[in-house]
Amino acid sequence: MRAKSCRETVLGNPNLPTELLRTFVTVIDLGGFTKAGTVLGRTQPAISLQMRRLEQLVDAKLTHQVGRSLQLTEQGEMLAVYARQILCLNDEAVARFRSRNAAGTLRVGLPTDYAVAFLQRMMTEYAASHPEVRLEIRCELSRELLDDLRKDELDIVIAMTSEGVAQYLARAWVERPIWVTAAKSTVHKRQPLPIVVHPEGCEYRNRIMQALNSAQRDWQVAYCSPGISGLQNAVLAGLGVSALTNRTFLDGMKILSKRDGFPALADIRVGLYYKHPRQTEAGVRLVNHIISSLDDAGEPDFRRAERR
């Protein structure tokens, strides 16, 4: 192995050159060395060499081949989160010093039932400071949003996912759902328990059913709607119990706990996802705006997840 250059070491720690990180993120986002080489204007052997160099610097295997699919190792997943953030800051800094205009259209996907007001406020703040950028916001179930991101029909997505979804992930945090019912209702005492949920595929719905099945409590779907306002109104009307977040909890509701016979709901993993190789300057600035807003949130129910 060749000796590390001065450029690659600082106080005994290796520097991670942005060109290597850009190659790494492009390879995993596009799913292969050849596709990455086409986008970056390099040959496949050159891409392979850069990937090996990055693995030497971090002293870890980052990817492995599973059939025809290139998969991240656990160490690769961890580095990918850092790499996206480093590249975003690098690209935004370069754009600002070159006085570029962050114009264009950004297609953003938001989950229907997670922190609606909080996320929309992020978008509003960004739109106010970047009037030259047109935002197209789509609200849908998380699995649909991630599918649209893979198909290049969305540019940036915030989605609730299972622990195993790491492709395109830039930042992850956790949210603890809470059981809710109407303040003056006794519907939570009924048997079977009426529940108010989103359609199949929703992580909140999954958590509700897992918890009730584990507690061996019979349940039935009393109301189903893809929209958060529909669920809120159904709960307030006393149609059943549901799981919401502190931000979607409304006056006229009450929280149910173990004392009421409701076990704690499992945390939900929420993530910020995007494809860096296809990201525009406007998108880079929005990603950094979202990350900055997350860091400044500081609320107890909005904790950043441990990076794996």
Side-chain angles (χ1 to χ4, degrees):
M1 183 185 302
R2 68 176 176 84
K4 294 182 177 67
S5 68
C6 293
R7 186 170 66 92
E8 292 176 347
T9 59
V10 175
L11 301 177
N13 292 322
N15 270 340
L16 299 178
T18 53
E19 61 266 28
L20 298 186
L21 295 177
R22 195 175 303 278
T23 294
F24 171 53
V25 170
T26 304
V27 165
I28 61 179
D29 279 2
L30 299 184
F33 290 14
T34 302
K35 290 180 180 178
T38 300
V39 169
L40 297 174
R42 297 189 178 95
T43 63
Q44 190 270 341
I47 296 295
S48 299
L49 185 62
Q50 286 188 314
M51 288 291 291
R52 286 199 298 273
R53 182 67 198 132
L54 183 59
E55 289 180 332
Q56 290 171 351
L57 284 173
V58 299
D59 193 23
K61 183 70 174 174
L62 301 175
T63 63
H64 62 273
Q65 201 75 28
V66 179
R68 295 185 177 181
S69 176
L70 188 69
Q71 301 289 331
L72 287 170
T73 64
E74 184 176 349
Q75 292 85 354
E77 290 181 9
M78 187 183 301
L79 180 61
V81 173
Y82 288 112
R84 292 181 197 280
Q85 294 180 44
I86 291 169
L87 291 174
C88 264
L89 288 172
N90 175 85
D91 294 351
E92 183 175 14
V94 170
R96 285 186 181 276
F97 280 103
R98 291 185 178 179
S99 301
R100 292 179 179 171
N101 238 346
T105 299
L106 281 178
R107 303 163 300 172
V108 182
L110 301 179
T112 57
D113 56 354
Y114 170 71
V116 176
F118 182 68
L119 295 178
Q120 287 182 348
R121 187 172 73 246
M122 281 188 202
M123 302 302 120
T124 302
E125 291 170 350
Y126 178 86
S129 59
H130 296 83
E132 70 281 4
V133 178
R134 180 169 172 260
L135 292 179
E136 293 181 0
I137 298 177
R138 184 184 309 170
C139 291
E140 185 56 84
L141 290 176
S142 292
R143 65 178 182 183
E144 304 296 336
L145 296 176
L146 289 172
D147 282 344
D148 288 342
L149 178 66
R150 294 185 189 98
K151 293 184 290 188
D152 292 325
E153 294 177 4
L154 286 172
D155 302 308
I156 299 170
V157 163
I158 293 177
M160 295 176 291
T161 66
S162 62
E163 191 68 20
V165 179
Q167 190 178 28
Y168 314 130
L169 177 66
R171 173 66 69 90
W173 59 97
V174 292
E175 184 79 24
R176 171 62 63 86
I178 52 176
W179 290 104
V180 297
T181 186
K184 297 182 180 180
S185 173
T186 59
V187 68
H188 60 285
K189 298 180 180 180
R190 293 182 189 172
Q191 190 71 6
L193 177 71
I195 60 173
V196 173
V197 292
H198 287 305
E200 290 185 10
C202 170
E203 291 295 327
Y204 279 76
R205 177 182 176 128
N206 293 340
R207 297 301 190 278
I208 289 173
M209 294 180 177
Q210 289 167 5
L212 293 176
N213 289 340
S214 296
Q216 297 183 331
R217 182 162 184 181
D218 292 336
W219 53 267
Q220 64 180 20
V221 175
Y223 182 89
C224 181
S225 171
I228 182 61
S229 61
L231 262 62
Q232 290 170 321
N233 290 332
V235 169
L236 290 172
L239 294 183
V241 304
S242 190
L244 299 177
T245 68
N246 287 337
R247 291 182 186 81
T248 50
F249 181 87
L250 300 178
D251 289 340
M253 295 179 181
K254 67 179 178 182
I255 297 175
L256 299 169
S257 67
K258 290 182 179 179
R259 291 191 301 272
D260 303 298
F262 288 83
L265 292 159
D267 285 346
I268 290 179
R269 189 171 185 250
V270 189
L272 169 64
Y273 298 84
Y274 66 94
K275 293 181 180 179
H276 194 87
R278 303 198 187 283
Q279 200 54 266
T280 63
E281 181 184 325
V284 166
R285 292 187 179 182
L286 177 55
V287 167
N288 284 336
H289 173 74
I290 293 172
I291 290 175
S292 177
S293 297
L294 298 180
D295 289 339
D296 292 342
E299 297 182 38
D301 66 323
F302 197 77
R303 308 178 306 278
R304 194 186 316 175
E306 290 286 332
R307 292 188 181 96
R308 290 179 295 159

